[in-house]
Amino acid sequence: MAKQNEIATFAGGCFWCMVSPFDEQPGIQEVISGYTGGHTENPTYEEVCSDATGHVEAVQITFDPSVFPYKKLLDLFWQQIDPTDPGGQFGDRGSSYKTAIFYHNEEQRQQAEASKQALAESGRFYKPIVTEILPAAPFYKAEESHQDYYKKNPFHYNAYREGSGRAQFIRENWKKQKTDDELKKELTPLQYEVTRKNGTEPPFQNEYWDNKEEGIYVDIISGEPLFSSNDQYDAGCGWPSFTKPIQRWELKENLDTSFGMRRIEVRSKTADAHLGHVFDDGPGPDHARYCINSAALRFIPKDKLREEGYEEYLSLFS
């Protein structure tokens, strides 16, 4: 029998940046920005930022542990922060921006402690891991303007995430970039040309343009999930086309004026790989058509998801 939904609470600095990594994962029901760990009731944003109430900015996540286990939440949490910084996070300084894991039961506490110890012993950081593990305290939902900030203000959110230093830290410490020499050995010449040289493969002569099998498509370089067969359709263009990504925050869009055209290029954030382009003539509610090179993708069939460590995405096909 599947477990009931549970609550997880994490403080990782500015709560604007702690929503999107969890929000689009399978099994995540809701992500709320708020304040916790303080000594006053119903604090405001200004009061919390003054460091006078003892609260930290945090996110409270409602999740289905049978789809996305707490351990995976912990892994994802660590990859959003600098766990060695005792004075805040990146450009945000002060006690309200400190990191912490707030456990809601003994099982969460034990898993959090084990996860922290494993990170400390991994040698990834030479400084001590200072993120605290604390019992859950009253959680107060933040003002509506702070909820889903990355969706409401995408330009400012992305500029802030880069400008604060968070994005660069994650790239350098959590998402190791492979060298060109390594990629040339791992990828076929076509895969390298597409992903690193912004190339385009021939239409109707690529691996997935007419794929009918159920499964997900991951970045050929990083393995990050990008698209689902549920959202694939035949756009008549000869390349795999999708109405939406699995993880919108894993994609970045750039203006492309090559070949005398004005198009929107789509790249993956983790690997900085060229994927294809997005157009506004799709059949979905936001009319997006993600036209993607097969050479930038690796397809994992539904019956191989568990074997390859993507079992949480089985819920997309239930």
Side-chain angles (χ1 to χ4, degrees), residues 236-283:
C237 61
W239 291 281
S241 296
F242 306 89
T243 57
K244 64 180 182 180
I246 293 177
Q247 301 179 141
R248 199 173 302 275
W249 58 275
E250 176 58 23
L251 302 184
K252 59 181 178 179
E253 299 177 2
N254 302 318
L255 178 63
D256 177 7
T257 58
S258 61
F259 304 106
M261 297 183 286
R262 291 178 63 86
R263 300 178 294 174
I264 302 299
E265 179 203 17
V266 179
R267 302 186 72 87
S268 63
K269 283 186 180 177
T270 299
D272 190 30
H274 172 73
L275 303 176
H277 293 85
V278 60
F279 302 94
D280 61 0
D281 57 2

Side-chain angles (χ1 to χ4, degrees), residues 177-221:
Q177 299 290 330
K178 295 180 179 178
T179 67
D180 266 9
D181 287 341
E182 289 173 325
L183 290 174
K184 284 178 180 177
K185 293 177 182 177
E186 294 180 11
L187 303 177
T188 67
L190 178 60
Q191 290 169 341
Y192 182 84
E193 176 66 21
V194 166
T195 58
R196 307 312 300 159
K197 299 297 184 180
N198 302 342
T200 301
E201 65 197 2
F204 303 104
Q205 299 176 43
N206 54 81
E207 192 170 4
Y208 304 127
W209 75 271
D210 62 346
N211 178 44
K212 301 295 192 299
E213 193 173 358
E214 287 188 316
I216 68 171
Y217 295 88
V218 303
D219 188 313
I220 192 70
I221 295 174

Side-chain angles (χ1 to χ4, degrees), residues 70-112:
Y70 186 67
K71 183 181 183 303
K72 281 187 173 285
L73 287 177
L74 289 168
D75 292 343
L76 193 53
F77 164 72
W78 292 120
Q79 294 173 29
Q80 312 310 314
I81 67 170
D82 176 358
T84 70
D85 186 347
Q89 284 291 282
F90 313 109
D92 297 308
R93 313 314 300 163
S95 61
S96 62
Y97 294 110
K98 287 184 177 181
T99 63
I101 299 169
F102 294 89
Y103 59 86
H104 290 262
N105 53 51
E106 178 61 18
E107 183 180 359
Q108 285 191 1
R109 185 193 69 78
Q110 291 180 8
Q111 290 192 47

Side-chain angles (χ1 to χ4, degrees), residues 110-121:
Q110 291 180 8
Q111 290 192 47
E113 294 284 5
S115 180
K116 180 178 178 178
Q117 182 177 351
L119 178 58
E121 295 175 350

Side-chain angles (χ1 to χ4, degrees), residues 2 26-27 29 64 66-68 214-216 228-230 302-303 305-306 310-318:
Q29 310 299 325
D64 180 348
S66 67
V67 176
F68 208 90
E214 287 188 316
I216 68 171
S228 165
S229 62
N230 289 339
K302 179 177 70 172
D303 60 3
L305 290 175
R306 190 179 305 278
Y310 297 91
E311 62 270 19
E312 63 266 32
Y313 295 95
L314 283 167
S315 63
L316 297 176
F317 307 101
S318 59

